[in-house]
Amino acid sequence: MLGEIVLCPGRRGRVERAELAGLRVLRTEMEPEGLRGRLALRRGARSLARLGVSRVLAPAGFDRWDYLAGWGLRPVDVIPFLWRAAPRLALAVLKQEGVPPGDGTVALRSPAASPAVEGAARELCPLVRQVVLDIPRGGTELAGQLRREFGMPVAPDGPQAQAALCYHPDCRRDWGRTVSLWRGAEGTLGVSIRLPGRVEEDNLPLLAALWEAGRIGDGELEFT
């Protein structure tokens, strides 16, 4: 079960069952600050932990994760969701840059050819003009596979890239608009992701939770 923290004046941290964008959650509403807020957070965290919750959705800017960790509560990991969405993020960047996909070059930059990187490359190859690789471990092999599967000569990384999917903070970021896909950089995507009719604002943790639960169908997400 997923937990949700809602900051609401006058609330004391009682846990109730609720629904969020079609997802069942255990919600605790609490005073946002002050002594009552701290007491409500303690009560809510204890109740969520006792009910078997391990992951929690919280408002943007929530800064008490260190306290929640003491109760075994952690935020939803958005990185697997972003890795799956990486090709569409790259296409959104090309659109922002005024480049049609068929004329666009996307760089993939990663220390190694992981399944996430390989999946993004295979999805992008039929959609863009060129994919270029900066992948020290396994990049040569991946380039050969893409050449055989798609007939696309995969060039080394270079200034021709208009968009770049970067999977590690040490990857170069001087060529093309960077989409940062490592933990800690989720807030710098430069692309908004929404689920029209259900999640209109940028809320990556909620979208990631819906995706994990199989509540987001192909083509439902909007990238701008």
Side-chain angles (χ1 to χ4, degrees), residues 13-17 26-29 43-48 51:
R14 188 175 66 179
V15 173
E16 298 177 335
R17 293 185 180 274
L26 289 175
R27 176 179 296 162
T28 178
E29 298 180 346
R43 179 184 182 186
R46 180 176 59 204
S47 297
L48 290 175
L51 290 168

Side-chain angles (χ1 to χ4, degrees), residues 24-166:
R24 292 181 180 178
V25 298
L26 289 175
R27 176 179 296 162
T28 178
E29 298 180 346
M30 60 187 64
E31 190 81 29
E33 54 189 21
L35 176 59
R36 288 198 300 179
R38 292 193 294 273
L39 293 174
L41 180 63
R42 176 183 175 185
R43 179 184 182 186
R46 180 176 59 204
S47 297
L48 290 175
R50 287 178 174 174
L51 290 168
V53 171
S54 61
R55 298 184 305 155
V56 176
L57 297 167
F62 182 77
D63 60 359
R64 299 301 308 278
W65 290 111
D66 55 343
Y67 179 79
L68 293 185
W71 292 95
L73 304 173
R74 65 184 189 278
V76 172
D77 185 4
V78 304
I79 292 299
F81 168 68
L82 291 179
W83 285 352
R84 180 63 189 89
R88 294 192 63 185
L89 289 168
L91 294 177
V93 168
L94 291 178
K95 185 175 181 179
Q96 291 176 357
E97 295 295 304
V99 180
D103 296 331
T105 296
V106 178
L108 278 74
R109 298 171 183 153
S110 173
S114 67
V117 174
E118 294 181 10
R122 287 190 166 87
E123 193 166 330
L124 283 167
C125 275
L127 303 176
V128 300
R129 177 177 179 272
Q130 190 175 36
V131 170
V132 297
L133 303 180
D134 181 3
I135 305 174
R137 297 195 303 276
T140 301
E141 292 80 0
L142 176 58
Q145 293 170 15
L146 298 176
R147 189 179 300 111
R148 290 190 294 272
E149 291 179 28
F150 300 99
M152 176 183 288
V154 180
D157 197 2
Q160 71 270 36
Q162 293 102 356
L165 299 176
C166 295

Side-chain angles (χ1 to χ4, degrees), residues 1-3 17-27 210 215:
M1 179 66 75
L2 190 67
R17 293 185 180 274
E19 189 171 289
L20 182 62
L23 195 64
R24 292 181 180 178
V25 298
L26 289 175
R27 176 179 296 162
L210 289 166
R215 301 298 180 87

